Every structure is written in C-alpha cells, then in structure tokens.
Amino acid sequence: MSDSMLQTLNQAEYNISNGLDNVASVSDSLLANQDIVDYLSGTNEPAFEQYWHFQALEKLVTSAERNRGIHRFRLFVDPKLTYSREGVRFFSLEDLDRGASWYRDMTSRNGVNIWRGTYRQSYLGEPDADVVSAVRMLHDPLHYKTIIGVLSVDSKADDIRAILNRVSLSPSQEVFVVDSDRRLVSHPDEERFGKPADLTVGQMELLAESPEGIFQDDQGTYSFLFRRIPGTDWTIVAKLPTSELSGKSVVLTKISAVLLLGIGSIVFIFFLVLAFAAAAESLSKRIREMIRSLKAEGSAHFDGSLPKPKGDLRQLESAISRMVRTVHDLTAESYLSKLHERDAQLKALQAQIDPHFLYNTLDSMNWMAIRRGAGEISDLIEALSTYFRLSLNKGRDVVTLAEELQLIRSYMHIHNTRDDGGIEMVYDIEESLLACRLPKLTLQPIVENAVLHGIHRKRPKRGTIAISTRVEGAWLLIGIEDDGVGMPPERLERLLVPPPPGEFAESYGLFNVNERLRLFSRDNGAGVTLTSEPGRGTKALLKIKISPH
C-alpha cells in the first residue's frame, strides 16, 4: 500500500520537477547570452547607449516570458544604470533584502540557480501574486568577483498547487510542499502559503534523512508519506489518517485472496490439460513425425512421390504437401508485389516533393517582406531560396566549383544574419577553376564543421574562414582554413575513420566527404587531409581529380 502511494507522489514530483526544470533552462539560456552580460556591465556607457541596451534587454526578457510556467522576469541591476528604477522588470540591486536567508543561500551558491519558496510579490499595474522564484547572481566575466545583477524568474505558486490537487490518496488527505526551513511552499489552503507547516522538529529530521519514505506521528494517528524534489530543498508530504490506510489494506487483502483463488484455478486447469495431453500422446505420434519431416526437409519431402493416400493421416500429408507448394508460390508473388508497392510509394513521395512549390512559396514570402519594408528578412529569404535551389540542383549529383561556392555564400549569409555577422569569409579563387566539377555538397559540411566546432567554441564567437584553390598537375586542390579553437592530433585522426557499428560518429560529414571524393575521382589519392593545432585553428585540404566537362 505504501509503495503504491509513493508511486503516486513520485508522479507528482515528476510533474513539478518538469516545470521547475523548464524555468531553470530558460534562466540558463538568458545567462548564456553574452549580450546581456555586456549590457549589464555598461555602467560607463552614455545614457543614449544605455537606453538602447534597455530596449534590447526588454525584448529578450519579454520573449523569454512566453515560455510555459513563467510569470515574470525581474532583473536587479547596478543602480548606476539609467533603467535600474524602471520598476516593471528592472530594479536596483539596492532593493534586495541582503539579510534574507534566500539571499545568503544565493551568494553561497556563486551563480547557480536556487529556488526561493512561496512569497507574495507586487507587480506594477498587475494584481499581487503568490510566486516561487529561481534566483541567481550574475558576475562580470572580466572581474568575476563583481556582481552585475541578480536574475529572478517568477512562477505562480498556483501551478504547483494544481499538480498537488490532482493527487488522490485518501478522502482526508493533506498534500503539501515544505522547504528545509519548515515553510509551506504549497498547500491546498492558499492562505497558508509561506507559513510554518504542522511538522515537529523530529519529523523535519526524518524528511531530511532520505529522498522518500513513510513514517507515523508519535500517537500513530497520522501517517506521512514524503518525496523530495531534486534540485531544491523542497519535499512533497502527504498526511493521511492511519485508519484510512488500514481500511485500504483490508480491501487489498480481499483482492489478493480473490487473485490467489484465480491462480489456483488456473494451475488446476493447467494440470488437467497436461493429463489430457498425455492421454492423446499415442494418437498424435504420427502427426509429430510428419511435423518433424516438414521442419527437416520442407516441401521437397512432399514432391508427389508418396503412395496413394490411405487413411486420414496419409490424406493429411498429401494436403500439407499441396499447401506448402501453394504457400511457397504465394510468398514469392507477395514479395514481388511488396517490391512493386514500395517502389510506387517512393515514386509517389518523390513526386510530392516539388521544388517549384518551395521556390514559389519562398518567392512569395520575399515579396511580402519587400512590401512591408523588411529588408533583412527579404535578404534572408532570398539567401535561403538560393541555398535550397543549389542544394536540390534539379537532382544532379555533380556541380561546378562556382555553384558550390555560391551555396557556401548563401549558407554563410544565413548564418551571419542569425549570429550578427560574427564570421568573415575570405575567398582566394582562380577564376579559371570555377568551371571545375566536383560532387554536390562537398564544401558545405567542412565549412559547417569550421563554424560549429571551431569558431563557435571561441569566446567571443568571432573568426575568419578562408577558401583558396590551386592546381597541381591533374589535381584540383581546395583549402578551407579557420582560426577556431583547433583540436589535438588524437581527435583529428578519428574524424576521417568510420565509427564502429553502434557507436556515435563525432563528425560523420567529414568521413562522408572523404569517401565521396575518392569515388568521384576513382583514385585513392583523392580525399580530405586535415591539419590542426589547439588554439590556432584547423585546415582542410581537398584533393579532387580534374574531370573533363
């Protein structure tokens, strides 16, 4: 009975933890935004610059508030910032109660999220609300001891209470959440939010001893089931009259007796069947021999050479022989039918993927953006349209170097539009080589690796990717070099080796490009050569046999 009820509490804990994890993830994503740190550190910037920062921060915070389970973001910032008295989402660090226990706990965690229990919070222009908050300190990365802000992500306490209200253990249950200071985080009676729980010091010690369990009060009148919520100092507690638990146990005992009687009946029937099988053994001997012959020799045993059927079993053998041949023929026909059906389905699916529909849709979106004066969106849609057109390329697997470079330009235009132009592209291309042929999507996977695994791992995410070409004899050599974080030699060796079956491939794109270049050039001398040095960047050299037009 206790295990069953604890499973119910586990489900409630899982639902609450999911909501808290979602809030913490949004907080982490804001903290990871370098712009927020730069804005909050700009106390020496002129007022108009700070106002621009305020507008950008407000957009980021307002967008983050749309996430599930989040009621309001509040940022406590340096009082020197002009928007520190905004009063809706931005406040001064001086407004914080530095003597509160949650503040001391937050400073001791040094930037890690902590959960502040239920309290009453006032909002400008909105009704007061009971909330719980994920709070954390924000440090200046260049002067880590300097606190540039405190982020508070507020969620309504009613969200937790709604989850607890769905817990059904007994008619007289009392399910609540309590923190380590014996304060109620949630309770069926919202008037008790933030007030002390009806638990003794000894009972609080029992809650702290293990993640979950059950105990009774000193008189045995009430039973307490509890389950701790990971990542917090909160515990879900269910207080139930012990008499109701005993009554349910009696019901379960009766159910167990009925189940035991049913199992006994099944066992009796089982032995009855065994007895019947033993009596029928002599009658089924020839049938078993026939089945063994079928398993050993299949339909070849029944090739029509059997004597004229005599008796029921001989007739059965003859019928089975005809059945096996018929099943064999039908299986072959079914297999061919399935192949034709699958081929037809593939052709139907391919017919549905009409590139012209995609291009026309993107073109319509582009003109809509131009009519509304959204130039950046128009440029991005046009680059995306070019990228898809070059990627699909009317089904051709071989393209020119000029087409492949145009694909790279579209890809990097989209990428730099999203990341504020953090990557500079440098091209050193001999014009006479633009007509050279190479497999489609040869350069893009390598440029993508340079962006994601090279430059994006730098701080800040700024860098340069250089693409150059030259000819050596019958070979076209293409160099792609970045100034990213680089990699050690042992990791470099693994990038062009196929992963063992069932294991994760760190960079399957490079291995794929290397193999396709060898197949295209029909020469094992073709392929990709990688050189890298940690902290200095990575260079990929592509060697492709020049083919006639």
Side-chain angles (χ1 to χ4, degrees):
M1 189 67 199
S2 300
D3 289 342
S4 173
M5 290 187 169
L6 282 175
Q7 286 300 320
T8 303
L9 279 191
N10 288 352
Q11 183 61 47
E13 176 268 309
Y14 176 79
N15 293 336
I16 293 174
S17 293
N18 271 353
L20 300 182
D21 289 345
N22 179 64
V23 173
S25 296
V26 176
S27 176
D28 290 341
S29 65
L30 280 181
L31 184 63
N33 191 320
Q34 183 62 37
D35 290 340
I36 293 180
V37 176
D38 294 341
Y39 296 158
L40 298 184
S41 303
T43 54
N44 296 325
E45 300 289 344
F48 73 89
E49 190 76 18
Q50 291 187 28
Y51 178 72
W52 184 86
H53 292 169
F54 163 71
Q55 289 183 315
L57 282 170
E58 190 173 35
K59 288 181 180 178
L60 286 171
V61 170
T62 304
S63 175
E65 282 181 353
R66 299 191 184 101
N67 285 275
R68 177 176 55 84
I70 295 178
H71 178 60
R72 179 64 62 85
F73 276 86
R74 288 181 293 145
L75 262 172
F76 296 84
V77 300
D78 193 308
K80 296 178 184 177
L81 294 172
T82 57
Y83 50 86
S84 63
R85 302 292 178 182
E86 185 255 359
V88 178
R89 294 181 178 87
F90 300 91
F91 306 86
S92 171
L93 283 170
E94 296 175 347
D95 296 338
L96 293 172
D97 182 6
R98 298 175 185 267
S101 60
W102 67 266
Y103 187 89
R104 293 193 299 270
D105 190 17
M106 178 189 69
T107 54
S108 67
R109 298 295 294 277
N110 204 26
V112 178
N113 258 324
I114 69 142
W115 283 97
R116 181 180 175 187
T118 303
Y119 60 99
R120 194 75 172 173
Q121 177 62 40
S122 299
Y123 297 100
L124 186 63
E126 295 182 12
D128 295 352
D130 292 314
V131 297
V132 297
S133 300
V135 294
R136 70 191 323 162
M137 288 193 307
L138 306 179
H139 295 275
D140 187 340
L142 301 179
H143 306 88
Y144 194 72
K145 292 185 178 180
T146 303
I147 299 175
I148 60 174
V150 170
L151 174 62
S152 176
V153 187
D154 302 342
S155 298
K156 287 191 175 182
D158 280 344
D159 294 344
I160 298 177
R161 189 175 66 156
I163 294 174
L164 297 184
N165 287 342
R166 293 197 292 268
V167 176
S168 178
L169 300 176
S170 74
S172 304
Q173 68 180 22
E174 181 182 350
V175 184
F176 55 90
V177 178
V178 63
D179 63 16
S180 58
D181 293 330
R182 205 166 61 89
R183 296 283 178 182
L184 288 169
V185 177
S186 185
H187 191 274
D189 182 5
E190 62 180 5
E191 297 296 328
R192 297 190 62 185
F193 284 177
K195 295 181 180 178
D198 298 329
L199 296 173
T200 65
V201 174
Q203 290 170 344
M204 290 298 298
E205 291 175 352
L206 290 173
L207 296 182
E209 287 179 358
S210 62
E212 67 177 16
I214 183 171
F215 61 87
Q216 293 183 352
D217 60 9
D218 295 337
Q219 294 77 30
T221 306
Y222 289 98
S223 295
F224 297 84
L225 294 90
F226 65 92
R227 169 76 178 181
R228 192 173 304 150
I229 301 176
T232 69
D233 65 343
W234 302 349
T235 304
I236 303 178
V237 181
K239 180 180 178 183
L240 314 170
T242 304
S243 58
E244 293 184 6
L245 283 178
S246 301
K248 282 195 173 184
S249 297
V250 171
V251 173
L252 287 179
T253 302
K254 292 179 180 178
I255 294 174
S256 300
V258 173
L259 290 175
L260 186 60
L261 181 60
I263 292 172
S265 301
I266 292 172
V267 171
F268 174 75
I269 294 172
F270 175 73
F271 280 107
L272 189 63
V273 170
L274 287 181
F276 176 79
E281 178 66 22
S282 60
L283 297 176
S284 62
K285 184 177 180 180
R286 286 190 64 188
I287 295 178
R288 291 201 303 272
E289 290 176 353
M290 182 177 58
I291 291 174
R292 281 198 297 269
S293 297
L294 277 173
K295 289 182 177 178
E297 303 180 51
S299 60
H301 181 67
F302 304 100
D303 55 2
S305 61
L306 293 174
K308 187 176 179 180
K310 292 181 180 179
D312 294 340
L313 290 180
R314 283 296 182 186
Q315 292 181 13
L316 180 60
E317 265 186 339
S318 178
I320 289 178
S321 176
R322 291 194 300 272
M323 179 193 70
V324 169
R325 285 196 296 268
T326 303
V327 168
H328 182 272
D329 295 338
L330 290 176
T331 301
E333 293 177 5
S334 176
Y335 178 75
L336 291 175
S337 175
K338 288 291 183 182
L339 286 179
H340 293 317
E341 180 183 353
R342 183 178 179 185
D343 184 61
Q345 289 175 346
L346 287 174
K347 290 181 179 179
L349 288 174
Q350 290 170 354
Q352 292 173 10
I353 305 174
D354 185 0
H356 295 289
F357 176 76
L358 176 61
Y359 301 153
N360 292 339
T361 302
L362 290 174
D363 187 57
S364 299
M365 293 168 62
N366 183 29
W367 282 108
M368 290 173 67
I370 292 174
R371 286 199 299 270
R372 288 168 172 76
E376 292 183 356
I377 296 177
S378 173
D379 290 343
L380 189 60
I381 293 174
E382 187 173 355
L384 182 60
S385 177
T386 302
Y387 180 81
F388 277 128
R389 175 173 54 80
L390 293 173
S391 297
L392 296 173
N393 204 24
K394 299 180 180 179
R396 290 190 292 133
D397 294 324
V398 178
V399 298
T400 64
L401 177 60
E403 292 172 324
E404 191 73 358
L405 290 173
Q406 188 178 0
L407 176 68
I408 294 300
R409 291 188 179 96
S410 298
Y411 171 76
M412 291 308 301
H413 178 71
I414 295 169
H415 191 279
N416 278 333
T417 301
R418 185 187 64 185
D419 288 352
D420 297 328
I423 299 177
E424 179 184 1
M425 296 298 297
V426 177
Y427 299 93
D428 182 11
I429 310 296
E430 296 184 22
E431 187 173 353
S432 60
L433 301 178
L434 292 175
C436 289
R437 292 152 55 84
L438 70 164
K440 182 174 65 177
L441 295 177
T442 295
L443 304 184
Q444 190 271 343
I446 299 177
V447 172
E448 182 177 1
N449 271 4
V451 172
L452 300 181
H453 302 298
I455 296 175
H456 270 199
R457 295 188 178 182
K458 294 172 60 177
R459 293 296 180 271
K461 300 177 182 178
R462 306 281 178 179
T464 302
I465 298 176
I467 301 179
S468 60
T469 60
R470 69 178 190 275
V471 173
E472 287 187 2
W475 295 97
L476 168 64
L477 302 181
I478 304 176
I480 303 176
E481 185 173 2
D482 66 78
D483 57 358
V485 296
M487 63 186 77
E490 59 272 11
R491 181 183 172 199
L492 200 65
E493 294 175 357
R494 295 196 301 268
L495 295 181
L496 298 179
V497 178
E503 293 190 10
F504 172 74
E506 181 178 3
S507 183
Y508 184 78
L510 288 175
F511 169 73
N512 180 273
V513 170
N514 187 55
E515 292 300 309
R516 287 194 296 123
L517 290 184
R518 290 183 178 180
L519 293 173
F520 174 78
S521 301
R522 299 181 181 178
D523 193 320
N524 287 335
V528 182
T529 304
L530 298 175
T531 56
S532 183
E533 184 178 346
R536 300 289 296 275
T538 302
K539 180 175 182 180
L541 181 64
L542 281 66
K543 192 174 181 181
I544 310 169
K545 181 68 71 70
I546 298 177
S547 62
H549 294 278

